[in-house]
Amino acid sequence: MTPAPRRIDVHQHLVPPFYRDALTGAGIAEAGGRALPDWSPEAALELMDLLETDTAILSVSTPGTGFLADPTEAADLARRLNDFSAALAAQHPDRFGWFATLPMPDTETSAKEAERALTGLGADGVTLLANNNGSYLGADGQDSLWRVLDEHGAVVFVHPADLPAPPVDGIPPFAADFLLDTTRAACLLVRNGVPRRHPNIRFVLSHAGGFLPYASHRMAVAIAGSTGRSPLDVLDDFRGFYFDTALSASPAALPTLLAFARPGHVLFGSDWPFAPTAAGQYFANGLDGGVDPATLAAVNRGNAEALFPRLAGAPVVAPTRPIGARVRQSAQRAGARLFFKLVQPGTG
């Protein structure tokens, strides 16, 4: 049996020490209801070897720079994060790429930083939070940013943030609110015609697009009713998004995503380190055992190579860890596969 191609992970985060210090100084100890995780390049590479990942496109998760009230401070932090990410990718060119952090909701400054990151630092795209202090992607006043991103044919990684509303006791934001946040942004982007006016932007929606694939027809009817557009045109715009599999390659969610998304528009994602290693293994196993070999090869690697052409010629990374570490990781993978099978409904 031919082994599946090693993965390209489009949804992996970094937490540089200076960024953690800035969050801690602002009294922020968690994101989305999860404690800020430990992160280092070495730990990231170990996780990537465990999940058989060649390259990860790194991004800064919520809250980005939005916790800073002073726009100048937010812009300075975004520049520092982007300089750090560019240097890290230069040190590990076959292992790490990166999405630039933008100081939203300041769209003018964000447009300038996007220009700098894409043309001067070699960013693979940009990260945009679904909402920034309650202002959602697709709202009025963002055209200057969309124009720059369209001119560069940029990849835009859309990541959820905390909803602009109090959380519900007992429901951590990452479990449900994050999915709604991404869905809201996708719906507003399409409703207000951003993908149609700026067709060169490639949007990647986190976590299989939240609720979008499942509720797409319902939202298309609503948008058609308020705008006079054809529901089929709205659905076509929804299907034009790209989607990652982070925390979403389950027997319930994955078939819906693959049935909805355009061919070539589903990408592998882990969400590490905010999703712990065990969760990354669980959903990677859901992908490995849930699709045919051709689809697996496309999601693992081929679709990302088409979206990021520079990775298509990248050499396959040979394992370099000591034999003991490789044996341990092989045992971890086998144990995770067994656990995944045991906990599926109807298998016990």
Side-chain angles (χ1 to χ4, degrees):
M1 182 178 178
T2 303
R6 287 174 62 88
R7 310 181 205 270
I8 295 172
D9 185 350
V10 304
H11 187 156
Q12 191 179 130
H13 297 299
L14 74 165
V15 189
F18 68 86
Y19 182 62
R20 175 188 288 275
D21 290 344
L23 293 174
T24 301
I28 299 172
E30 61 178 37
R34 293 193 63 86
L36 294 175
D38 293 329
W39 175 86
S40 70
E42 295 75 21
L45 292 171
E46 183 174 358
L47 177 280
M48 290 162 63
D49 288 345
L50 178 64
L51 296 187
E52 299 179 294
T53 298
D54 271 347
T55 305
I57 311 296
L58 303 177
S59 57
V60 173
S61 186
T62 185
T65 65
F67 66 97
L68 295 171
D70 185 332
T72 300
E73 291 183 6
D76 289 344
L77 181 57
R79 283 192 292 270
R80 191 176 179 190
L81 286 165
N82 294 336
D83 290 341
F84 179 94
S85 299
L88 179 63
Q91 293 169 7
H92 304 274
D94 297 329
R95 305 307 306 271
F96 294 131
W98 60 288
F99 292 124
T101 299
L102 303 184
M104 290 289 278
D106 184 340
T107 53
E108 297 294 336
T109 304
S110 291
K112 293 177 182 177
E113 183 59 17
E115 182 81 34
R116 185 182 84 95
L118 293 168
T119 61
L121 298 181
D124 291 292
V126 304
T127 304
L128 291 176
L129 297 181
N131 92 84
N132 296 270
N133 300 325
S135 176
Y136 273 88
L137 300 183
D140 292 340
Q142 300 170 355
D143 284 347
S144 59
L145 176 59
W146 301 134
R147 283 194 296 270
V148 168
L149 297 175
D150 187 73
E151 288 169 3
H152 289 283
V155 177
V156 174
F157 177 62
V158 179
H159 192 278
D162 287 339
L163 291 177
V168 176
D169 288 344
I171 304 178
F174 76 87
D177 294 356
F178 270 17
L179 304 177
L180 176 58
D181 201 49
T182 302
T183 305
R184 283 179 167 182
C187 189
L188 194 60
L189 284 165
V190 168
R191 194 258 181 227
N192 289 345
V194 173
R196 294 229 162 191
R197 294 198 308 275
H198 304 283
N200 296 317
I201 300 175
R202 280 79 53 80
F203 290 95
V204 180
L205 303 183
S206 299
H207 310 121
F211 304 129
L212 177 61
Y214 186 82
S216 55
H217 287 253
R218 177 174 179 159
M219 290 188 292
V221 169
I223 290 174
S226 65
T227 65
R229 294 178 57 192
S230 162
L232 292 178
D233 286 345
V234 176
L235 285 168
D236 191 56
D237 287 351
F238 282 152
R239 295 183 69 238
F241 291 122
Y242 289 78
F243 305 85
D244 75 49
T245 65
L247 300 177
S248 303
S250 70
L254 187 59
T256 301
L257 174 61
L258 292 172
F260 176 75
R262 284 182 186 169
H265 280 225
V266 179
L267 313 162
F268 176 77
S270 70
D271 205 2
W272 189 86
F274 286 89
T277 297
Q281 287 184 283
Y282 182 88
F283 288 101
N285 282 320
L287 175 63
D288 291 343
V291 298
D292 62 84
T295 300
L296 180 60
V299 174
N300 270 350
R301 189 175 192 92
N303 297 342
E305 287 181 329
L307 192 59
F308 305 100
R310 74 172 185 85
L311 298 180
V316 174
V317 178
T320 58
R321 296 190 178 278
I323 183 65
R326 296 204 298 272
V327 169
R328 174 175 54 81
Q329 288 187 333
S330 179
Q332 283 180 274
R333 287 192 288 268
R337 285 193 294 271
L338 177 60
F339 176 77
F340 182 84
K341 292 179 180 178
L342 289 176
V343 299
Q344 298 314 307
T347 61

